[in-house]
Amino acid sequence: MDIRLNKKTKSALSVAAIALFLILVYIGDMNIPAGSSWKMLITVIEKGSIYALVAASMNLLNGFTGLFSLGQAGFMLIGAYTYAIFTIPAESHDKVYQYFDGGVIKWSIVEILEAKMGIFGHYLGMFIPMLGAGLIVAVIAFLIGIPVLRLKSDYLAIATLGFAEILRAFFQWNTLGPVTNGSNVLRKYTTYDNAVFPVIIGGICIAIILLLINSTYGRAFRAIRDDEIAAEAMGINLFKHKQMSFIISSFFAGISGALLAMFQTTINATPFNTVMTYEILLIVVIGGIGSITGSIIGAFLFTAASEWWLRGLDAGRWLGIQADFMRPGFRKVVFAILIMLIVLFYSQGIMGTREFSWDGFFSWWKNLPANLKAWPSRHKAKAAAKREARAVKAAAKAKAREAKASNEARKASGEALFTPLPVSDTVMVFDKEGR
């Protein structure tokens, strides 16, 4: 039996769930000791929130618009550097840019606004560079989208991947060292104090993406994904909507890059390579291409498995099991096997194209006892159907073998395998009217 809730109830449940989650994250971050193994849970929540945002932005482009782009790591790189450059305190520039005479930009937006507006100015000074990072990435995406978005399928992927690699080399160019610090790390910039910050920012951005997907623009994106010819026949401007999706996706990738810079506390262009892009794409595929809920679940599962659950495999001890074959790098082997299993059993990802809904959740919860009770009978019926199908297939094969053996025996005895049609010597002539 399906349950249907009204909009007010759904909104109240969503607000309550979000508030409870934020409270638990805040309490956990403030009270869990730094040396505790459970501190990794907070790290997973922080990094998972950041990866959930960039995966959702990639899903908007790949899953909902049908554009196979692999430039997310490059856009995150721009966002991370933009935020870090404008939030390094003035007194730290000589230490950070020690090889470039303190750099060109010797002021911090955070310091300027904090001096005038106090604690509110501090957070406003963090928000403005983060928003500026997204806007700068959006402008760059607009410029490169003009030639790149005329490509399709694999060619678009190769072009955007090449662009990301060019950006990585560009930011490490020593000629730009007074701004980007060349191949050296950027550090001492302003970061957040509690894990709630990336969760809130990531949640707000994902909510905006969901609103966009459910709007008329989102329906136009899906129409382009399903059939470009039909979408154009309906009056949808293909290039305009592709460019819009590309710019919006890049904007949120820039925001996630700024959050990642805060999370890591130091930033360098080297990690923003093809491996990072493939990790983001893997999260999208695991969660389900065309599902924002799937991207969120995939991001947290990927982060938890790679950063927490399987760490013991590299140390030689996991879940109380100690073995010599567990050595550094074994974690990646097990992780690859888990990914293969997910792809085999969930060919469309964990969520496919579905999204989370309170109606579906409560219906599943209400029907769970009945489904568990009926599971043995369903399992038996499914097994019986498989046995019956195998029996029918085996009988068909046996019948085919018998027919083949019979025909070979008849052929060996000289008996004709078929009766030829009678041939008539009568010739029939028709006139032009068929008489």
Side-chain angles (χ1 to χ4, degrees), residues 55-69 213 218 221-226 245 249 281 284-285 288-292 295 352-353 355:
S57 70
M58 191 176 197
N59 212 343
L60 172 65
L61 192 62
N62 292 18
F64 289 93
T65 315
L67 298 176
F68 189 35
S69 172
I213 290 171
F221 295 157
R222 286 193 288 265
I224 294 172
R225 174 197 64 188
D226 295 336
S245 177
S249 173
L281 181 61
V284 174
V285 173
I289 299 178
S291 172
I292 299 299
S295 296
T353 57
E355 299 288 356

Side-chain angles (χ1 to χ4, degrees), residues 49 55 161 211 223 232 240 294 352 382:
S49 301
L161 184 63
L211 291 174
E232 191 172 20
K240 175 185 174 182
K382 186 182 292 186

Side-chain angles (χ1 to χ4, degrees), residues 159-182:
T160 50
L161 184 63
F163 166 74
E165 288 298 307
I166 291 172
L167 272 179
R168 191 161 63 91
F170 185 73
F171 273 82
Q172 291 179 312
W173 188 24
N174 281 335
T175 303
L176 293 177
V179 178
T180 64
N181 207 20

Side-chain angles (χ1 to χ4, degrees), residues 5-51:
L5 303 175
N6 56 49
K7 291 185 178 180
K8 290 184 178 179
T9 305
K10 293 178 184 178
S11 300
L13 287 171
S14 299
V15 171
I18 293 170
L20 178 62
F21 180 70
L22 292 176
I23 291 171
L24 292 176
V25 172
Y26 180 81
I27 294 174
D29 193 22
M30 296 297 294
N31 294 288
I32 297 177
S36 174
S37 59
W38 285 100
K39 194 66 176 179
M40 280 301 301
L41 175 61
I42 304 300
T43 302
V44 168
I45 291 174
E46 292 178 81
K47 193 173 181 180
S49 301
I50 298 168
Y51 270 67

